[in-house]
Amino acid sequence: EYCIRVSTVEEYLAMLGLFGFFFAMGESLCFEYTKIKGFIKVILHTLFKPYFERYHLAAAADEVNTGDEEGIDFFKMFFVWTTYMCCLVFFYTSASRFLRIADATLLNLSLQSTNIWTMIYSIVVQCIVPTISFYLAILLIFIGVFIYEKGIPKVFVRFT
């Protein structure tokens, strides 16, 4: 919240993207190395397929599987990945604009209340009913939002 109020939105998003990229790349290389290696092979095969065919590098072209073990093709993986990236850009841009107007507490309480949509989806679509502890957590979130929106009582204002 402090960085957004002091710096520009562009600088905040640039730093968020830069450091987020390094952290995500490090975690991905630790936990998903084989999947990333296969994804890069698919990308190279897709981009350089005419080169392989022109110079009769059939052995190099045959090594590469155009999809992973489950049969997902490159274009579907790329579409899901780019859609996810666009949603993240939209979220971080919206969150930084929201934090210029309101504070981080309201943003966090609002983001926690999105679990209600998850609960509705799991009940309606997947026919999975959450446990009672989930409902208690949702109730605590509603209480937190209510207390926050109500404001500080006038009795405590002189002590703060």
Side-chain angles (χ1 to χ4, degrees):
E1 182 178 357
Y2 173 77
C3 291
I4 291 175
R5 292 190 192 274
V6 172
S7 64
T8 64
V9 175
E10 291 81 13
E11 182 182 3
Y12 171 73
L13 291 175
M15 288 296 124
L16 190 67
L18 178 70
F19 290 112
F21 170 77
F22 286 125
F23 282 115
M25 186 56 75
E27 289 175 355
S28 298
L29 288 176
C30 288
F31 298 114
E32 301 286 339
Y33 178 74
T34 55
K35 293 275 189 182
I36 292 172
K37 186 177 174 184
F39 186 68
I40 290 173
K41 276 186 177 180
V42 169
I43 290 172
L44 292 177
H45 182 274
T46 305
L47 292 176
F48 296 113
K49 186 175 181 181
Y51 175 78
F52 288 145
E53 291 172 354
R54 182 182 308 152
Y55 293 105
H56 305 292
L57 297 174
D62 290 337
E63 300 178 351
V64 179
N65 185 6
T66 56
D68 63 356
E69 301 84 39
E70 292 88 23
I72 299 174
D73 62 347
F74 167 74
F75 297 106
K76 186 175 182 179
M77 289 189 306
F78 187 74
F79 175 74
V80 169
W81 181 66
T82 53
T83 305
Y84 177 69
M85 290 298 139
C86 291
C87 289
L88 282 180
V89 167
F90 177 73
F91 170 74
Y92 285 121
T93 306
S94 302
S96 62
R97 293 195 186 278
F98 180 84
L99 287 174
R100 284 200 173 261
I101 300 167
D103 57 350
T105 306
L106 183 60
L107 177 65
N108 287 333
L109 288 172
S110 299
L111 289 176
Q112 287 180 3
S113 65
T114 59
N115 291 331
I116 297 166
W117 297 109
T118 306
M119 178 184 66
I120 292 170
Y121 179 81
S122 69
I123 292 172
V124 173
V125 175
Q126 297 178 333
C127 299
I128 300 172
V129 179
T131 61
I132 191 70
S133 61
F134 187 82
Y135 293 110
L136 290 174
I138 295 293
L139 179 66
L140 287 175
I141 290 170
F142 276 133
I143 291 171
V145 170
F146 177 75
I147 291 172
Y148 181 77
E149 289 295 327
K150 189 174 180 186
I152 300 173
K154 302 219 184 289
V155 176
F156 298 113
V157 170
R158 67 177 187 201
F159 297 115
T160 57

